[in-house]
Amino acid sequence: MPKSPSDAPRPSDAPRPADAPRRIKVQRRGPMLVEGPVEVELEDGTTVSSDRFRVALCTCRRSRRYPWCDTSHRARSSGTGEGRPGTE
């Protein structure tokens, strides 16, 4: 039972209070799912942003839309050994 309103479970698509921690879901063979809106600072110092309620950040660097995931990781993780660390 929640002890305060902030402890109460909330649907994953409900608006996040400004002071609440940002939720990031890490997947073994997929993108990092981040509750938005987000700003991402790239290696060269440029900043990209998204105002979506959830964004998928590419972790394999195969995306043509990097840093946003475009599911390019699926083409090389078919179970044939490709796409796994140490097998390329």
Side-chain angles (χ1 to χ4, degrees), residues 28-41:
R28 179 178 298 253
R29 289 192 177 173
M32 239 187 252
L33 300 177
V34 182
E35 288 185 3
V38 299
E39 280 188 1
V40 178
E41 184 177 336

Side-chain angles (χ1 to χ4, degrees), residues 48-59:
V48 294
S49 61
S50 173
D51 60 356
R52 297 184 63 162
F53 70 95
R54 185 175 300 132
V55 295
L57 295 176
C58 177
T59 57

